């Protein structure tokens, strides 16, 4: 068994500020995040333990325990990106492992259990009153006693800690080996490559797309007034001007758009004279996928979506139609829309930030024989333009607030659908959906999964993805 310190032995960085800033911003809001940044210089004037208690109080005081999901939906991504490869390799060989930490258990438990498979976690519990965090941790002695109780009952223990850990004496009396880590040692450690994660990171939530170190957070607050103004200009440009004018203006404001089309699709920008329109099938990165496809093709499209807030629906510069998740009703609606012109659908039913594709709903395969797969990818540097637990109506605002957001649109070779229900039609439509998913995955270098919208929302929010309509 390996007993290790999360902060001193597992994480490469020695600063805990970014993780508390994530809690402050995502669980407490902009004001609480600014307050944490403002008091940061004063933390150097107090002891390490006192500084930790101050950060805990600022981040947690008054936060509802029931709605706190930062520990399971936001923090695991940033913890995983900070895990040291050398320590992880040792944990893989250790069998049953025990992780102990000086920070609140609610921040690390999901990360350690779900993504590293740690069997036992010892962290400091938060005090709660009437369903709200008080911003105060239980005494450190309680967690130390709990850890000592665990290690006394085990044999052949190996410990990984640091020279400054107060538990060093207790560990030395029960472990056959102890590895002590210095800060200088951490500088030579390597980050864990994504492909070596013990469990792939597919879903995560939160608005911040960068690691909020003190300097990076300061830069964000300095950018916010300019970013908000720039976002309004970008939105007005997209709403008010025709494509031929809006695209170059948006490019001048920092938007980057890369477009490519399969040579087999001749005259892709010209409406076909055959009956019905093209059915463009896209993977789903943000709410703006259909809009960027419309910009790329330089023509108006109709978009159908499973998850669309009322505000986004009203402000969309292209026609949008909400799907009901009733297969017969949605099929009839999509058939009518295809008779009127080209249609865009994102069969994943929800967005995915990481390089993975969720299961494609096969309904689109029955709608047309003129199906065109479209591979979409987007990149942001400051704010994510998607959310599972927040207000979806703010998604376009956050995306357009990024300094240089980018999109890559690849129109792939067309495929045939299933327009008649004969023989093994059920199997055929699933085959078409899987084929389209596979082609888009190959074009982007993304992994294909069988996960669904329901899986995403159960993991991140704890419900099945019912959309609020603000």
């Amino acid at each position: 068994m390996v007993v290790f310190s999360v902060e001193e032995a597992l994480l490469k960085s020695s600063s805990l500020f970014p993780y508390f800033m994530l809690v402050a911003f995502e669980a407490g809001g902009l004001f609480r995040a600014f307050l944490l940044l403002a008091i940061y210089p004063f933390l150097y004037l107090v002891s390490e333990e006192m500084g930790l208690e101050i950060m805990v109080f600022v981040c947690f005081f008054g936060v509802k325990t029931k709605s706190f999901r930062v520990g399971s939906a936001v923090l695991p991504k940033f913890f995983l990106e900070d895990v040291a490869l050398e320590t992880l390799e040792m944990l893989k060989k250790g069998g049953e492992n025990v992780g102990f930490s000086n920070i609140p258990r609610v921040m690390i438990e999901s990360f350690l259990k779900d993504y590293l498979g740690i069997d036992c976690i010892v962290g400091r519990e938060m005090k709660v009153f009437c369903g709200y965090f008080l911003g105060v941790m239980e005494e450190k002695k309680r967690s130390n006693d709990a850890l000592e109780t665990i290690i006394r009952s085990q044999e052949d223990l190996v410990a990984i800690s640091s020279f400054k850990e107060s538990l060093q004496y207790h560990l030395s009396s029960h472990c056959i080996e102890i590895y002590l880590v210095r800060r200088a040692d951490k500088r030579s450690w390597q980050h864990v490559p994504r492909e070596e994660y013990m469990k792939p990171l597919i879903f995560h939530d939160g608005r911040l797309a960068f690691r909020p170190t003190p300097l990076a957070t300061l830069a964000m607050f300095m950018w916010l007034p300019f970013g908000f103004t720039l976002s309004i200009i970008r939105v007005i440009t997209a709403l008010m001007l025709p494509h031929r004018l809006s695209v170059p203006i948006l490019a001048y404001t920092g938007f980057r758009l890369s477009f490519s089309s399969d040579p087999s699709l001749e005259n892709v920008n010209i409406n076909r004279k055959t009956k019905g329109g093209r059915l463009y099938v896209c993977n789903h990165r943000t709410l703006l996928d259909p809009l960027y496809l419309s910009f790329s093709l330089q023509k108006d499209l109709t978009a159908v979506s499973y998850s669309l807030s009322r505000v986004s629906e009203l402000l969309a510069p292209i026609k949008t139609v909400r799907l009901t998740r009733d297969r017969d009703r949605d099929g009839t609606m999509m058939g009518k829309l295809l008779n009127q012109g080209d249609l865009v659908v994102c069969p994943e039913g929800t967005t995915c930030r990481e390089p993975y594709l969720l299961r494609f709903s096969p309904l689109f395969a029955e709608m047309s024989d003129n199906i065109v797969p479209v591979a979409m990818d987007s990149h942001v540097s400051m704010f994510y333009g998607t959310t599972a637990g927040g207000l979806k109506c703010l998604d376009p605002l956050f995306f357009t607030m990024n300094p240089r957001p980018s999109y890559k649109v690849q129109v792939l070779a067309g495929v045939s659908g299933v327009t008649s229900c004969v023989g093994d039609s059920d199997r055929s439509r699933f085959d078409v959906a899987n084929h389209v998913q596979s082609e888009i995955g190959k074009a982007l270098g993304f992994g294909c999964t069988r996960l669904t919208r329901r899986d995403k929302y159960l993991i991140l929010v704890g419900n099945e993805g019912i959309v609020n309509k603000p």
Side-chain angles (χ1 to χ4, degrees):
M1 175 184 286
V2 176
V3 181
F4 66 95
S5 167
V6 175
E7 300 95 293
E8 301 300 332
L10 180 64
L11 302 180
K12 189 175 186 298
S13 172
S14 299
S15 174
L16 296 176
F17 177 86
Y19 306 114
F20 283 99
M21 176 54 68
L22 288 165
V23 174
F25 186 91
E26 304 294 353
L30 200 61
F31 175 77
R32 196 185 293 256
F34 182 79
L35 178 60
L36 180 62
L37 178 66
I39 68 171
Y40 175 73
F42 300 99
L43 300 181
Y44 285 98
L45 303 178
V46 298
S47 66
E48 185 173 336
E49 177 66 18
M50 178 62 71
L52 175 63
E53 291 176 354
I54 292 173
M55 288 195 293
V56 169
F57 182 81
V58 171
C59 295
F60 281 92
F61 178 74
V63 175
K64 278 187 177 182
T65 57
K66 187 177 181 180
S67 61
F68 183 83
R69 302 191 68 86
V70 176
S72 59
V74 179
L75 290 176
K77 171 187 181 293
F78 294 90
F79 278 132
L80 279 171
E81 293 173 347
D82 197 28
V83 169
L85 179 62
E86 290 78 359
T87 304
L88 184 62
E89 291 295 335
M90 183 173 290
L91 294 181
K92 289 179 179 178
K93 301 174 183 177
E96 188 178 2
N97 300 308
V98 176
F100 64 92
S101 174
N102 198 32
I103 64 178
R105 180 188 176 97
V106 71
M107 291 176 63
I108 61 169
E109 184 173 25
S110 180
F111 156 64
L112 293 176
K113 281 189 175 181
D114 297 340
Y115 291 93
L116 298 187
I118 303 302
D119 308 285
C120 184
I121 301 166
V122 179
R124 298 174 72 174
E125 301 293 344
M126 295 292 299
K127 293 185 178 180
V128 176
F129 180 75
C130 293
Y132 290 87
F133 288 117
L134 294 178
V136 179
M137 297 181 290
E138 292 185 346
E139 294 181 5
K140 191 174 181 180
K141 184 177 183 300
R142 286 196 177 188
S143 59
N144 290 352
D145 292 343
L147 178 61
E148 187 167 2
T149 300
I150 293 173
I151 61 180
R152 277 181 175 177
S153 62
Q154 303 294 329
E155 297 180 356
D156 300 328
L157 293 177
V158 175
I160 314 175
S161 183
S162 70
F163 286 94
K164 65 179 183 180
E165 283 286 355
S166 60
L167 285 174
Q168 192 180 131
Y169 170 76
H170 301 286
L171 293 174
S172 62
S173 60
H174 296 92
C175 299
I176 58 174
E177 291 182 69
I178 298 180
Y179 296 91
L180 298 179
V181 179
R182 298 171 299 181
R183 289 199 173 186
D185 299 328
K186 287 190 170 188
R187 299 190 187 102
S188 62
W189 286 357
Q190 302 297 315
H191 291 290
V192 180
R194 174 184 294 273
E195 57 273 13
E196 294 189 26
Y197 285 174
M198 296 180 68
K199 176 184 176 181
L201 176 72
I202 300 177
F203 300 126
H204 60 88
D205 204 9
R207 290 295 189 184
L208 296 185
F210 64 98
R211 182 177 177 83
T213 61
L215 285 178
T217 305
L218 177 61
M220 179 198 71
F221 278 105
M222 294 175 64
W223 169 256
L224 276 179
F226 302 100
F228 181 77
T229 304
L230 184 60
S231 175
I232 299 301
I233 294 173
R234 287 167 170 173
V235 170
I236 292 176
T237 300
L239 290 175
M240 304 299 292
L241 298 179
H243 296 317
R244 293 188 178 183
L245 292 177
S246 62
V247 171
I249 293 176
L250 289 173
Y252 182 76
T253 66
F255 266 108
R256 291 178 291 173
L257 174 61
S258 172
F259 174 71
S260 63
S261 175
D262 190 273
S264 64
L265 292 174
E266 297 180 0
N267 301 323
V268 69
N269 295 325
I270 301 177
N271 285 325
R272 292 162 52 99
K273 296 181 179 180
T274 55
K275 182 180 179 181
R278 273 197 172 105
L279 178 58
Y280 293 97
V281 179
C282 312
N283 63 303
H284 208 1
R285 300 298 280 177
T286 77
L287 191 65
L288 302 178
D289 293 336
L291 183 59
Y292 268 93
L293 179 59
S294 178
F295 285 160
S296 300
L297 301 178
Q298 294 285 299
K299 63 179 179 180
D300 292 328
L301 302 170
T302 299
V304 292
S305 175
Y306 290 103
S307 55
L308 191 66
S309 72
R310 185 65 65 188
V311 173
S312 299
E313 190 174 7
L314 292 173
L315 294 178
I318 62 175
K319 182 179 179 181
T320 58
V321 178
R322 189 193 307 273
L323 296 178
T324 64
R325 300 190 182 277
D326 182 294
R327 184 171 176 271
D328 294 333
R329 290 176 61 187
D330 290 342
T332 301
M333 181 189 301
M334 291 175 64
K336 291 179 179 179
L337 293 172
L338 274 171
N339 289 331
Q340 299 171 10
D342 292 346
L343 187 65
V344 187
V345 62
C346 300
E348 288 175 288
T350 188
T351 57
C352 184
R353 298 173 176 178
E354 296 301 308
Y356 295 95
L357 299 180
L358 308 187
R359 182 180 70 84
F360 277 29
S361 172
L363 178 61
F364 73 87
E366 304 174 11
M367 295 295 101
S368 173
D369 270 331
N370 188 15
I371 298 173
V372 180
V374 182
M376 294 276 195
D377 197 9
S378 64
H379 175 74
V380 294
S381 58
M382 191 168 287
F383 303 109
Y384 285 116
T386 61
T387 183
L391 294 175
K392 291 185 178 296
C393 61
L394 297 180
D395 286 356
L397 176 66
F398 275 102
F399 185 85
T400 52
M401 281 177 62
N402 283 283
R404 293 183 62 83
S406 66
Y407 245 92
K408 183 178 181 182
V409 181
Q410 302 178 62
V411 180
L412 309 180
V415 300
S416 297
V418 180
T419 55
S420 60
C421 297
V422 294
D424 196 11
S425 59
D426 283 343
R427 181 180 180 185
S428 297
R429 65 189 178 95
F430 283 108
D431 288 342
V432 173
N434 292 337
H435 173 70
V436 172
Q437 183 199 41
S438 176
E439 290 301 307
I440 293 177
K442 289 177 183 177
L444 295 172
F446 287 5
C448 296
T449 75
R450 308 304 298 165
L451 299 173
T452 65
R453 171 191 173 87
R454 182 175 182 271
D455 297 318
K456 171 185 171 179
Y457 278 85
L458 286 175
I459 291 172
L460 297 182
V461 188
N463 61 45
E464 296 190 7
I466 300 175
V467 180
N468 295 323
K469 301 176 184 180

